[in-house]
Amino acid sequence: MSLQSLVKPPLVPPLVMGIVNVTPDSFSDGGRLATQEAALAHALRLIEQGAEVLDIGGESTRPGSDPVSEDEEMARTLPLITALRARWDGMISIDTMKPGVARAAVAAGARMWNDVTALMYDPDSLATAAELGCAVVLMHMKGAPKTMQDDPRYDDVTAEVIAHLAARAEAAMAAGVARDKIWLDPGIGFAKTTAHNLTLTARLEALVDLGFPVLYAASRKRMIQGVDATAVQATDRLGGSLALALEGARRGAKMLRVHDVRETVQALKLQAAVAKAG
């Protein structure tokens, strides 16, 4: 990919995926959507703001988080997916590492499985993804959320992340997942330092070159505080989130996973308008 292509916005802006975490311990909005009514209202508001995909999560994967049971995760997510599907025909994603939760979520109306373990958490994950036939996001992560940030190290973070995701994509296809259903996510903030995250962002086009659509997810993450020490709270990171979203778009991401949907949609519209004017 040429330098000229890197400094131009994409001809087709990426999809915007809105985040709906129905968990008490999410790093950004834990507990704020504790009731199904609050979660549904938030999801519908994100749709009004321009979200084309909604990612529903019932288990926090923030650094240091503890796992929850499959039953608890389903109790948090399935009623919301069912209620949302009754009101909206758009793309719903289930953010889970558990194949049982993914199966139940797809039955309730989800059409995408976003898995932070790249279908490695459970021996049945690959076969389940093939059986379901839904879109699948394979994300890079070392270790587990509880300990992933203890001391992450890489010799070449870009090469290692790309090699891992390429191998997981091959494993998924060998298990029967259609190539056109596979998305890749470099896992910004998952077992990575600020320097690792910045490098992966700057070299995102190398992952794009594998030929799979890329999901980029840096919204409100701690890497922003790593650059701006004043951004201590997740809600202090809007400017950094927008900057990273635009960088992800410039470098070829086909979907952006964000908390601040309206602001991200607006930023992408201005990016496209400037490109058209030029």
Side-chain angles (χ1 to χ4, degrees):
M1 185 173 289
S2 69
L3 179 61
Q4 184 179 17
S5 67
L6 291 182
V7 298
K8 288 186 176 181
L11 294 176
V12 179
L15 299 172
V16 174
M17 170 189 272
I19 299 169
V20 185
N21 286 322
V22 281
T23 59
D25 55 346
S26 165
F27 85 94
S28 176
D29 48 11
R32 190 168 64 85
L33 306 178
T35 68
Q36 290 296 324
E37 293 78 9
L40 179 59
H42 179 67
L44 294 174
R45 186 162 54 250
L46 295 183
I47 294 167
E48 291 177 358
Q49 293 175 351
E52 296 154 288
V53 185
L54 290 180
D55 196 36
I56 313 297
E59 178 180 48
S60 176
T61 52
R62 64 176 175 79
S65 61
D66 293 311
V68 302
S69 70
E70 183 172 294
D71 288 344
E72 176 63 23
E73 195 174 342
M74 287 194 287
R76 293 175 179 178
T77 58
L78 298 187
L80 175 59
I81 293 171
T82 300
L84 188 57
R85 178 53 71 218
R87 292 163 173 81
W88 185 57
D89 193 41
M91 176 71 80
I92 298 173
S93 166
I94 179 66
D95 183 359
T96 184
M97 61 183 75
K98 300 182 181 75
V101 175
R103 184 179 289 107
V106 169
R111 297 172 184 163
M112 173 176 275
W113 178 4
N114 184 11
D115 185 0
V116 299
T117 74
L119 302 178
M120 293 180 68
Y121 175 78
D122 189 286
D124 292 332
S125 293
L126 286 167
T128 299
E131 171 196 334
L132 294 176
C134 62
V136 180
V137 180
L138 307 176
M139 196 198 80
H140 177 274
M141 175 177 64
K142 273 187 175 183
K146 183 72 174 177
T147 58
M148 64 183 178
Q149 288 301 112
D150 286 355
D151 186 24
R153 297 187 182 190
Y154 302 86
D155 292 325
D156 183 331
V157 66
T158 305
E160 291 174 50
V161 167
I162 289 174
H164 175 80
L165 290 178
R168 295 312 300 159
E170 290 295 332
M173 290 187 291
V177 178
R179 182 184 177 92
D180 64 1
K181 297 291 186 180
I182 296 173
W183 290 69
L184 302 182
D185 179 347
I188 299 297
F190 284 78
K192 297 170 186 76
T193 65
T194 295
H196 294 145
N197 294 321
L198 292 172
T199 297
L200 285 169
T201 300
R203 300 177 182 172
L204 193 66
E205 71 275 9
L207 180 59
V208 171
D209 285 346
L210 285 182
F212 298 91
V214 169
L215 169 66
Y216 181 76
S219 179
R220 298 187 184 179
K221 290 189 176 177
R222 197 172 298 174
M223 67 177 290
I224 298 169
Q225 184 184 1
V227 175
D228 175 9
T230 69
V232 177
Q233 302 300 320
T235 50
D236 296 332
R237 301 169 186 169
L238 175 59
S241 297
L242 295 176
L244 292 170
L246 293 178
E247 288 301 307
R250 284 203 306 152
R251 285 164 167 75
K254 297 300 184 185
M255 190 182 302
L256 302 172
R257 183 179 184 272
V258 304
H259 297 86
D260 304 290
V261 168
R262 180 182 181 277
E263 293 83 354
T264 304
V265 169
Q266 185 180 89
L268 290 170
K269 285 181 177 178
L270 266 294
Q271 185 186 56
V274 170
K276 183 177 180 181

